[in-house]
Amino acid sequence: MSSTNTVNGGISFWYADDGLPTAREPLTGDTTADVCVVGGGYTGLWTAYYLKKAAPFLRVTVLEQRFCGYGASGRNGGWLYNGIAGRDRYARLHGHDAAVRLQQAMNATVDEVIRVAAEEKIDADVHHGGVLEVAYTPAQLARLRAFHEAELSYGENDRTLHGARETADRIRVAGAVGSSWTPHGARLHPVKLVKGLAAAVEALGVTIHESTPVTEIKPKHAITPYGTVRAPYVLRCTEGFTASLKGQRRTWLPMNSSMIATAPLPADVWETIGWAGRETLGDMAHAYMYAQRTADDRIALGGRGVPYHFGSRTDNDGRTQPATVDALREILVRFFPQLTGVRIDHAWSGVLGVPRDWCATVTLDRATGLGWAGGYVGSGVATANLAARTLRDLVQHDSGQAGQTDLTDLPWVNHRVRKWEPEPLRWLGVHGMYATFRAADRREESSHSPASSRLAQLADRVAGRH
């Protein structure tokens, strides 16, 4: 079926579903604050929330270039789960026990987000069904088993491994030969969460200025076209949009991820698919997919389309190339052949932040008062919450309000990494990497070998992912 009736862009399906927010006022001139948060997505809003909860006397100002949730926080797949980018590298750098503590903190973060959403009466269509990751080739099954064992080694003893029959009992993915399930995950509606969080933050007395792009961050200064906010602490929470800030073009690479949402599927179709547990769904392909069954019984599915725009440019309205929409539809039908011809109601894209070593970080420079968090590499829905609580603890410790905490001692705190290469090396490297991953997936599907393609191993090494 043609995708001519598909709404393309318009930020995301989640906004089409829940409506655009009412605009907040931009900054009206120079001002001061105790903490200035740059970026009104999950990281910035959670940071403001926890700072204000811990110290109600703090004057906290959030600056957002468009509106809260305009970036990845309003465009993601709605996966609230316990994955964190860089855990294996942190294990090598700081020891296995340190990485286990990081993983345990992420496990607890899933419950923390659900707890706060309930406490603040944020109805974000949360369904705590866990995460199911499936394999449908011999090579994927070998990786799945290795992945499962690795997760157990990091203390995730409540994770379960399933064969083909048990996998089909949960969800009938065509040709699935195994799966791994963890309870540490939930499906949610990203925009309902970010809207509710922004409202909760304002109710606590935080000032939010929208339509206020920050062009440069300097110690104790956040500079905008409308004035400068001066604060002892300026916290950069800009994730995939970091490259637009002066001096930050090569800090984190803005990686594109694209999604489609089907029309609502009728009950008889769901009977053929299963998925009654509404787990978030992923696979073990090198160019992996991610999906959820939405509250209104659509399938929202994503993957990497055109992964990167030259010069670290970001696509603003989320418009997605037709070839990417077709590729995502092919994945949908590969998983569920009965959906051939199903209507695709919406397609969109967004950017996520990728550091050169693919490790999420949270940092406060005590000499300058500049802090930042991000580089989530697509795992930001939960990680942003852990980052925000960690930024809160770092600020409170630095300002003498509190001592060090378990969070400030986690191995991702104050991790530094080199910048990305200049163009055209960035563009060539990223596009080459994903072309190689896709070629590796095709080779594995046709070869029936349990060994992972050497192409993928080469791409991983070149990318610095391992």
Side-chain angles (χ1 to χ4, degrees):
M1 180 181 287
S2 164
S3 296
T4 53
N5 295 322
T6 301
V7 176
N8 193 331
I11 306 172
S12 74
F13 160 74
W14 310 116
Y15 278 111
D17 181 53
D18 199 59
L20 292 174
T22 302
R24 295 176 174 89
E25 295 299 322
L27 187 66
T28 56
D30 292 348
T31 189
T32 61
D34 296 312
V35 181
C36 179
V37 176
V38 180
Y42 290 148
T43 306
L45 292 173
W46 280 123
T47 300
Y49 177 85
Y50 286 112
L51 278 168
K52 199 68 174 173
K53 278 287 208 180
F57 57 84
L58 285 177
R59 295 172 302 144
V60 180
T61 296
V62 175
L63 302 177
E64 163 55 42
Q65 68 161 339
R66 290 289 294 274
F67 54 80
C68 290
Y70 173 74
S73 300
R75 309 189 197 197
N76 63 80
W79 271 49
L80 175 72
Y81 85 120
N82 66 339
I84 184 166
R87 183 194 61 191
D88 292 347
R89 188 182 296 271
Y90 287 129
R92 292 194 296 271
L93 291 172
H94 301 275
H96 184 75
D97 289 348
V100 169
R101 287 190 290 106
L102 182 60
Q103 185 60 65
Q104 289 171 337
M106 280 304 307
N107 296 350
T109 294
V110 173
D111 297 326
E112 169 68 4
V113 173
I114 295 171
R115 180 193 71 78
V116 175
E119 183 177 287
E120 297 292 346
K121 297 180 172 51
I122 300 171
D123 182 3
D125 296 342
V126 176
H127 183 86
H128 198 170
V131 183
L132 188 73
E133 299 185 77
V134 301
Y136 51 85
T137 69
Q140 284 190 24
L141 183 60
R143 284 198 298 277
L144 177 83
R145 288 171 173 160
F147 164 75
H148 181 84
E149 290 303 315
E151 298 309 295
L152 295 181
S153 78
Y154 285 106
E156 203 178 322
N157 297 320
D158 42 6
R159 177 177 283 274
T160 55
L161 186 66
H162 304 289
R165 183 175 299 173
E166 288 176 308
T167 300
D169 287 343
R170 284 182 177 270
I171 181 168
R172 287 181 280 282
V173 172
V177 290
S179 62
S180 179
W181 177 82
T182 176
H184 301 293
R187 174 217 72 190
L188 55 75
H189 189 300
V191 162
K192 290 181 179 179
L193 177 61
V194 78
K195 281 184 177 179
L197 185 55
V201 164
E202 277 193 314
L204 290 173
V206 171
T207 301
I208 300 176
H209 292 297
E210 295 182 332
S211 301
T212 305
V214 173
T215 55
E216 184 179 3
I217 294 173
K218 299 192 298 186
K220 299 179 173 52
H221 295 75
I223 300 167
T224 86
Y226 302 110
T228 296
V229 177
R230 291 173 174 81
Y233 298 100
V234 181
L235 308 179
R236 188 186 82 220
C237 303
T238 48
E239 188 56 354
F241 290 89
T242 299
S244 64
L245 291 164
K246 184 176 180 179
Q248 303 293 335
R249 182 160 297 251
R250 292 165 53 196
T251 300
W252 291 334
L253 184 137
M255 183 82 74
N256 280 284
S257 202
S258 301
M259 293 196 70
I260 56 173
T262 69
L265 305 179
D268 61 323
V269 173
W270 282 114
E271 286 177 13
T272 70
I273 293 173
W275 211 345
R278 297 181 185 263
E279 305 91 339
T280 56
L281 176 67
D283 70 0
M284 299 306 293
H286 299 292
Y288 53 84
M289 58 76 73
Y290 52 94
Q292 68 151 279
R293 179 179 176 178
T294 67
D296 61 348
D297 284 336
R298 305 169 189 267
I299 294 176
L301 178 148
R304 304 291 183 262
V306 177
Y308 174 71
H309 293 298
F310 191 88
S312 292
R313 288 180 292 110
T314 52
D315 178 18
N316 286 331
D317 72 350
R319 188 163 181 82
T320 300
Q321 291 187 351
T324 297
V325 180
D326 291 343
L328 292 174
R329 173 190 279 280
E330 287 176 11
I331 294 172
L332 177 72
V333 174
R334 160 69 189 78
F335 272 60
F336 309 111
Q338 63 269 52
L339 298 185
T340 300
V342 73
R343 191 176 81 237
I344 303 299
D345 275 357
H346 209 115
W348 71 99
S349 297
V351 293
L352 48 101
V354 181
R356 188 62 184 88
D357 65 352
W358 302 72
C359 290
T361 56
V362 57
T363 297
L364 181 66
D365 185 338
R366 301 186 71 176
T368 62
L370 295 179
W372 57 89
Y376 304 133
V377 197
S379 300
V381 179
T383 314
N385 178 279
L386 178 61
R389 286 181 285 130
T390 307
L391 277 175
R392 169 203 62 194
D393 288 1
L394 288 168
V395 168
Q396 287 210 286
H397 174 55
D398 184 71
S399 61
Q401 297 173 33
Q404 290 185 283
T405 68
D406 290 343
L407 298 185
T408 60
D409 193 41
L410 291 174
W412 70 326
V413 174
N414 295 330
H415 174 76
R416 302 297 179 102
V417 64
R418 67 183 173 91
K419 292 179 179 292
W420 282 88
E421 290 79 0
E423 296 291 21
L425 296 178
R426 275 203 309 284
W427 188 91
L428 290 168
V430 175
H431 281 264
M433 176 183 70
Y434 272 97
T436 304
F437 284 149
R438 285 189 283 266
D441 287 329
R442 289 193 298 271
R443 181 172 293 186
E444 289 177 3
E445 285 202 53
S446 62
S447 74
H448 307 298
S449 167
S452 289
S453 169
R454 291 181 179 177
L455 285 174
Q457 295 169 16
L458 174 64
D460 275 336
R461 280 199 297 273
V462 171
R465 291 175 64 167
H466 296 298

